[in-house]
Amino acid sequence: MTTAAPQPTHPFPPVPQFASQIPVEQTRLSHALRSEWTKIRSVRSTMWTLGVMLLLVIGINLLVVWPVADSHDPSVPVLAPGLFGLMLGQLAVITLGALVITSEFGTGMIRTTLTSCPQRSRVLAAKAIVFFGVSFVTTTVACAVTALINYAVLSGRSVTPDETDYAGTGVVVRGGLTSAGGSQWLGATVGVGLYVALLGLLALAVGTLLRHSAGAITTMLGVVLLPLLVALFLPGSLQSTRDNMIKFSAPNSLASLYRIPMIGSDSQNGLLQLVVLACVTAAALTAAFVTLNARDV
C-alpha cells in the first residue's frame, strides 16, 4: 500500500508585492497649490507685471497729488488721486492673469503639468487660488500706500463756510477740515483690490478658453475699455443703455469705489459693480473648467 504524496496548496510560489523605497503620498490640492506658487514666483513675467503695476499706481499718484496739494482746492476728495494710476495699473494685473495659463499652452508645458497632475480641475483651481491671492494682496497694498500718501498730503485743509456744501462730490468735511470716511478707506483699498483681482481672474478664465496670450489680453482690453468708449458715442435716444454701459464699465466701477463715479452721486459705493463682476467671473471660470476637462492638450 502506498501513501499519496501531499499536494501543494498553490501551484506557484507567491510573488512578493512591489514596495517602493520612496515614500508615496496621496496628492491633494495643497500639492497643486505649492506647485503653482513655485511657478508664479519664479517666472520673470510675474515680477515684471506686478512691478510695473506698483510703479504705475504709486508713481502716477505722486504726479497727481502734488499739483492738487499746491492748488489748495478742497473740492477734490482726499483719496481720489489714487484712481488715476490704478486705471493703468489694472492692465498689468489683467496681463498677468492671462499669462498664468496661456504661457503654459504656448510653450507646451501644460502637457507636463497635466501629466504630473491628471486632475485638470485641480490644476485650474490651484492656478486661480494662487493668482487671486497674489493679485489681491499686491493691489491692496499698492492702494493702501497711495491712500496713506493722499491722506497725509490732502487731509486737514480748511474749508470756508461757503464751501461746506459738497453733497455729491465725495468730499468729507469734519470740523471745517477735509478728511476721508471709513467707507472711502474700505473702498479705496480692499474694494479696489477685490475688483482688480477679479478682473485678473476673468483674464485667467478667458486665457483658458482661448489658449492664446495675445488673444486673451486683447479680449480683456476690449472688456475693460470698450463699454465706456461705445457709450460715449451712443445717440440720446439710447440714454438708458448708455448710462448702464457707463455705470458698469471698469473705469466707472473703480471710480465708484473711490466715491467719485462718472454718473450719479457719491452714494454709489461700487458694491453692485463688484457683485456683477464676481458673477461674470464665476460664469467664465465655470466655462473654463468645462473646456479644460473636455479638450485635448
Side-chain angles (χ1 to χ4, degrees):
M1 181 176 180
T2 59
T3 304
Q7 297 296 322
T9 306
H10 300 287
F12 303 101
V15 178
Q17 296 293 322
F18 172 76
S20 174
Q21 300 299 318
I22 303 175
V24 178
E25 185 180 357
Q26 186 70 28
T27 57
R28 299 184 296 274
L29 177 62
S30 59
H31 297 93
L33 289 174
R34 285 203 293 269
S35 173
E36 294 303 326
W37 169 244
T38 301
K39 289 180 188 176
I40 201 169
R41 66 183 172 87
S42 59
V43 296
R44 292 182 179 178
S45 59
T46 303
M47 298 299 107
W48 275 105
T49 50
L50 294 184
V52 168
M53 188 274 285
L54 290 171
L55 182 64
L56 289 173
V57 173
I58 298 175
I60 294 178
N61 178 78
L62 291 175
L63 293 176
V64 173
V65 71
W66 295 120
V68 174
D70 291 339
S71 68
H72 302 288
D73 182 8
S75 64
V76 178
V78 169
L79 305 183
L83 172 65
F84 299 97
L86 195 65
M87 290 290 188
L88 292 177
Q90 64 175 337
L91 301 181
V93 178
I94 289 171
T95 301
L96 177 61
L99 290 177
V100 163
I101 193 163
T102 56
S103 60
E104 289 199 39
F105 279 111
T107 59
M109 281 298 295
I110 192 67
R111 301 186 186 93
T112 304
T113 299
L114 297 182
T115 300
S116 60
C117 182
Q119 296 84 3
R120 299 185 179 189
S121 296
R122 181 183 296 175
V123 171
L124 185 56
K127 287 182 181 295
I129 293 171
V130 170
F131 167 76
F132 184 83
V134 170
S135 58
F136 171 70
V137 170
T138 308
T139 307
T140 303
V141 168
C143 293
V145 170
T146 60
L148 290 172
I149 293 173
N150 297 332
Y151 188 79
V153 175
L154 300 180
S155 67
R157 290 174 295 171
S158 61
V159 179
T160 57
D162 58 341
E163 294 174 333
T164 55
D165 185 13
Y166 288 110
T169 63
V171 177
V172 176
V173 179
R174 291 174 179 165
L177 301 175
T178 56
S179 183
S183 60
Q184 287 181 326
W185 278 99
L186 188 63
T189 53
V190 178
V192 171
L194 274 175
Y195 192 88
V196 175
L198 283 173
L199 276 179
L201 204 57
L202 180 60
L204 191 153
V206 172
T208 307
L209 294 170
L210 299 183
R211 302 183 175 194
H212 194 272
S213 299
I217 294 171
T218 304
T219 302
M220 285 305 301
L221 290 179
V223 170
V224 171
L225 301 177
L226 272 184
L228 179 60
L229 295 177
V230 171
L232 295 177
F233 293 98
L234 287 180
S237 57
L238 299 175
Q239 181 70 34
S240 61
T241 302
R242 181 172 62 183
D243 289 347
N244 284 326
M245 291 179 70
I246 295 176
K247 183 177 180 180
F248 290 99
S249 65
N252 183 66
S253 299
L254 292 173
S256 298
L257 289 167
Y258 278 92
R259 298 299 180 90
I260 49 172
M262 298 176 182
I263 57 173
S265 66
D266 66 334
S267 60
Q268 298 181 45
N269 54 16
L271 181 60
L272 179 60
Q273 286 87 342
L274 262 177
V275 173
V276 170
L277 179 60
C279 293
V280 172
T281 304
L285 275 176
T286 302
F289 274 105
V290 173
T291 303
L292 185 63
N293 282 296
R295 285 179 180 170
D296 192 9
V297 294

